[in-house]
Amino acid sequence: MAVAEKKAGAKAPKARGEAVDAAKPRRRRTKVEQRADKMEQILDAAEYLFSVHGLYGVTLKDVAQRVGVHHTLLNYYFTDKKSLFDAVIARRAGVTIAYRMEALDKYDAETKGQPTVEGALRAFLNTDLDLYSQGGENWKNYGALGAQVSNTPYGAELFDLHFDPLVLRLIGLLKKALPDCAEEDIFWGYHFVTGALMLTLARTGRINRLSGGLCDSDDFEAVKDRMASFMAAGFLNICKPGAARPAL
């Protein structure tokens, strides 16, 4: 065998840059970075547990156990369970609000102030559904948590705090699209929209069983194809001029 010929199994020499990189010591993470990472772990764990068991079914010890730390560490970050719960809700609220507000503003500009009901609803709903379907399991946990707490007095207060400006932006577009509609009918219409959205985010699997597998509660694309159109038809029906309300 020739001297120049490589021996079988011999490793190729490292490139010059590789050798330099290997020699560099890894930068140690700062205390701020370590604290931020630990905070994310705590919020992720709490988000999952709250989404399954609710506010009152979870203790700080439960969260600490899921993270793998002593429960006294949580008291360093949060004064009590409600402050942790509030932080879980607030963390992703800002993200979904920003995305949807941007989508509504963009749609309003594109339509030059002449939106349609379905177009406004798609900007509001589809942007949110994309976050939950494409953002990974943590976002789905957040959606399930939101669906659960929106039906409780304390959760509703948090939703008032975070989401009212976004909802009122949508209401403003719907008023433009339905200038002759009674204001109370637009608010009732939104009430029905948010109910359907929360049920979707809950991902209970009930529609899977009811439909014998034809539908899947995790299929957010199927929801996107249908929800805005369905809800727009409802708005248009209850907002017809002189629409009669059936006597009870």
Side-chain angles (χ1 to χ4, degrees):
M1 182 180 293
V3 175
E5 192 175 335
K6 291 182 181 179
K7 295 180 181 179
K11 293 183 179 178
K14 289 183 178 180
R16 187 175 181 180
E18 254 184 88
V20 173
D21 289 343
K24 284 183 180 178
R26 287 188 178 181
R27 184 181 70 85
R28 295 182 63 181
R29 293 193 307 162
T30 66
K31 288 185 178 180
V32 172
E33 290 171 331
Q34 292 175 33
R35 186 177 187 277
D37 183 58
K38 185 60 66 179
M39 175 71 81
E40 287 297 300
Q41 292 178 40
I42 291 170
L43 291 174
D44 284 346
E47 183 176 67
Y48 169 75
L49 291 171
F50 285 138
S51 74
V52 175
H53 304 292
L55 171 61
Y56 300 106
V58 177
T59 66
L60 289 180
K61 284 185 178 180
D62 294 330
V63 177
Q65 185 175 11
R66 185 169 179 85
V67 177
V69 298
H70 194 272
H71 68 86
T72 55
L73 179 66
L74 268 69
N75 296 121
Y76 174 76
Y77 291 98
F78 301 99
T79 55
D80 55 28
K81 184 172 66 173
K82 279 195 173 180
S83 67
L84 171 58
F85 185 83
D86 292 355
V88 167
I89 294 295
R91 176 175 60 153
R92 298 193 198 279
V95 177
T96 180
I97 289 168
Y99 272 110
R100 286 192 281 176
M101 194 70 85
E102 182 182 357
L104 290 171
D105 289 344
K106 181 180 178 183
Y107 177 71
D108 194 19
E110 288 175 347
T111 57
K112 296 180 171 58
Q114 295 182 316
T116 66
V117 177
E118 184 170 342
L121 289 174
R122 285 197 178 279
F124 179 80
L125 293 169
N126 290 5
T127 308
D128 200 38
L129 289 168
D130 282 343
L131 271 176
Y132 294 111
S133 63
Q134 300 169 17
E137 196 60 30
N138 286 339
W139 266 100
K140 289 182 179 179
N141 291 337
Y142 184 75
L145 174 59
Q148 182 186 126
V149 303
S150 66
N151 293 300
T152 67
Y154 183 67
E157 288 177 10
L158 286 178
F159 273 50
D160 293 346
L161 174 66
H162 293 293
F163 292 97
D164 275 7
L166 171 66
V167 172
L168 292 174
R169 182 70 175 97
L170 171 65
I171 295 293
L173 286 180
L174 293 173
K175 287 180 178 179
K176 286 183 183 180
L178 298 164
D180 299 321
C181 185
E183 191 172 14
E184 65 184 288
D185 286 333
I186 291 179
F187 278 100
W188 276 119
Y190 170 75
H191 179 75
F192 304 142
V193 168
T194 195
L197 177 60
M198 290 300 108
L199 179 59
T200 296
L201 297 181
R203 298 161 57 226
T204 63
R206 186 162 188 264
I207 194 170
N208 306 49
R209 299 184 291 275
L210 281 172
S211 67
L214 285 174
C215 306
D216 184 347
S217 65
D218 281 315
D219 189 353
F220 286 177
E221 288 301 316
V223 175
K224 281 174 57 180
D225 288 344
R226 296 165 174 82
M227 185 182 285
S229 299
F230 183 87
M231 292 300 176
F235 271 101
L236 293 172
N237 187 61
I238 66 173
C239 288
K240 285 178 182 176
R245 299 285 180 267
L248 298 178

